[in-house]
Amino acid sequence: MRALCWEGVGKLAVRDVPEPRVRAADDIIVRVRASSVCGSDLHLINGYLPAMREGDVLGHEFMGEVVETGPGVRRLRVGDRVVVGSVVACGGCWYCRTEQYSLCDNSNPQPVFTEKLWGHSPAGILGYSHAAGGYSGSHAEYVRVPFGDVGAFPVPDGVADDAVVFASDAMPTGWMAADFCGLEGGEVVAVWGAGGVGQMAARSAQILGAERVIVIDRLPERLATAAARLGVETIDYSRTDVLEALREMTAGRGPDACIEAVGMESHDVGPSYAYDRAKQAARLQTDRLTSVRQAIMACRKGGTVSIVGVYAGLVDKFPLGAAMNKALVLRMGQMHAQRYIPMLLDRIAVGEIDPGYLATHPLPLEEGVRGYELFEKKRDGCLRSVLHPAG
């Protein structure tokens, strides 16, 4: 079969790879119909998560059709159209039973690297390096999904492939980001990042009761889309001092909650960004912390900072003093896909959330390299490239 593979730092290629097969009783094989690129894939491509091997198949946000099931699969049938959570979870360990699926004890078969790096190993993630289990990803014609009954969900009739694909990752990540904020109604929420996750976080905050949502980015087309689609306020950080703008917009108080949806390659302007970029390039730090620093400094006293952008290792100049002395609540993590996806599918089906507009560039799998170039370079107004292996 054809698949989009990692060929070394900054290098991708579509090539032939072996088709997946059922290995365990609870496996399913899915014929991929739509697989979205994601900002966290860029961290793998660019070598910031150092556990990739040449030929690894990328992709973790997808939907498709079940074509084979293991003998232990009970909930799904061949022919079901499903969306699959990117996080692999067993469904039976303590973390899964308490709906903390991204912390599953049993789904990462290669835990040594992350145990040494982070103290414990979290769940496996499809298509997300050998640190996350070494699973082949979804930028392919077919993909093996372990624990199929736990991680794959039937798609409601009438929901388009290029909309429901975002229920795999961007939507549950955005919803969890807003859920972490503990909104009770009437709050001001600031969101760093107007990509797919940031826009879904903004919409989720609105549904959960935020009175005002302010989205921060530098790309005019993304800010315009967020304003038009979601009715949010926006800040262009390349033209405006973000901290001053947020103070002015909140009468000096600061947002009640700040959501960081950017991650380890966050961009900014000015000397601090140049410093962070140089240290990351020299591998003196693994992640750039620009947007997290801003969120902590901007948040009101006693507020919440919710971090769902992906970070991998060590950072410099973390404003711990500001977080401690302002009594901030910091919440963060990989999303608990299986906890949120069924609810989100219901909301998509009734039109409460419509993520389909994120799929600005549908492309065949054979153009996957171009899809990533459009996405990474932010060309042609690209919010997300969605690859279609089935043609």
Side-chain angles (χ1 to χ4, degrees):
M1 70 173 184
R2 302 289 279 171
L4 181 63
C5 301
W6 188 81
E7 299 291 309
V9 175
K11 299 177 182 178
L12 301 175
V14 178
R15 69 187 209 183
D16 292 321
V17 301
E19 290 190 9
R21 58 182 179 82
V22 168
R23 298 183 185 177
D26 50 11
D27 284 354
I28 62 172
I29 305 297
V30 174
R31 180 176 68 86
V32 179
R33 293 170 53 140
S35 180
S36 177
V37 307
C38 178
S40 57
D41 291 325
L42 299 179
H43 310 326
L44 301 175
I45 294 167
N46 294 327
Y48 294 116
L49 292 174
M52 295 292 288
R53 298 176 188 169
E54 185 176 343
D56 284 350
V57 179
L58 291 164
H60 60 269
E61 185 167 21
F62 70 105
M63 58 78 58
E65 178 185 343
V66 178
V67 295
E68 186 178 356
T69 63
V73 175
R74 298 288 180 264
R75 191 173 58 84
L76 301 170
R77 297 290 182 268
V78 170
D80 284 350
R81 190 168 67 115
V82 295
V83 62
V84 179
S86 58
V87 168
V88 182
C90 74
C93 71
W94 182 84
Y95 290 102
C96 289
R97 294 197 307 272
T98 56
E99 296 190 310
Q100 300 178 85
Y101 294 98
S102 68
L103 307 178
C104 176
D105 267 336
N106 298 319
S107 63
N108 187 345
Q110 302 177 23
V112 174
F113 180 86
T114 48
E115 286 176 347
K116 289 182 177 179
L117 183 63
W118 299 326
H120 298 85
S121 176
I125 300 175
L126 294 168
Y128 212 71
S129 89
H130 294 268
Y135 295 105
S136 288
S138 60
H139 294 339
E141 295 179 81
Y142 298 91
V143 62
R144 180 178 73 93
V145 179
F147 308 109
D149 275 339
V150 179
F153 302 87
V155 174
D157 293 339
V159 178
D161 291 358
D162 279 7
V164 80
V165 66
F166 298 109
S168 170
D169 192 298
M171 290 183 68
T173 302
W175 188 277
M176 189 175 83
D179 192 22
F180 276 175
C181 295
L183 303 176
E184 298 179 353
E187 293 89 354
V188 177
V189 176
V191 180
W192 274 256
V197 171
Q199 295 209 29
M200 291 300 97
R203 179 65 185 128
S204 300
Q206 291 173 329
I207 293 171
L208 289 172
E211 182 176 330
R212 297 170 62 196
V213 176
I214 304 164
V215 174
I216 301 148
D217 206 298
R218 66 184 171 93
L219 299 174
E221 62 273 17
R222 291 191 176 188
L223 292 171
T225 297
R229 290 280 184 170
L230 307 177
V232 299
E233 301 166 71
T234 63
I235 296 174
D236 180 346
Y237 69 76
S238 69
R239 297 175 176 271
T240 305
D241 184 295
V242 172
L243 300 184
E244 288 186 8
L246 287 172
R247 280 193 291 267
E248 183 175 338
M249 296 168 80
T250 58
R253 187 167 183 253
D256 299 289
C258 294
I259 294 173
E260 197 278 348
V262 181
M264 67 171 70
E265 295 182 74
S266 61
H267 180 273
D268 198 9
V269 294
S272 63
Y273 171 68
Y275 170 84
D276 273 344
R277 190 175 179 88
K279 287 202 70 173
Q280 188 182 45
R283 298 302 191 262
L284 297 175
Q285 65 177 8
T286 57
D287 309 346
R288 299 198 295 262
L289 201 64
T290 304
S291 52
V292 172
R293 288 193 198 105
Q294 288 186 354
I296 289 173
M297 297 304 293
C299 194
R300 71 158 170 83
K301 294 177 287 186
T304 298
V305 175
S306 170
I307 304 170
V308 293
V310 173
Y311 290 87
L314 304 175
V315 297
D316 190 11
K317 294 180 171 54
F318 181 82
L320 182 59
M324 185 271 172
N325 287 287
K326 292 202 295 180
L328 299 182
V329 175
L330 304 183
R331 297 199 66 183
M332 63 199 80
Q334 297 278 4
M335 58 91 185
H336 305 308
Q338 294 80 352
R339 177 178 180 178
Y340 297 112
I341 289 176
M343 172 270 296
L344 291 169
L345 290 175
D346 291 340
R347 292 181 186 272
I348 295 173
V350 299
E352 188 174 21
I353 306 177
D354 178 14
Y357 73 92
L358 299 176
T360 55
H361 290 70
L363 295 167
L365 175 63
E366 294 294 329
E367 295 187 40
V369 175
R370 175 171 170 259
Y372 269 99
E373 289 175 351
L374 288 167
F375 179 63
E376 182 174 17
K377 305 301 182 184
K378 301 173 175 64
R379 293 173 180 158
D380 193 32
C382 183
L383 262 173
R384 287 291 185 94
S385 299
V386 177
L387 307 183
H388 295 273

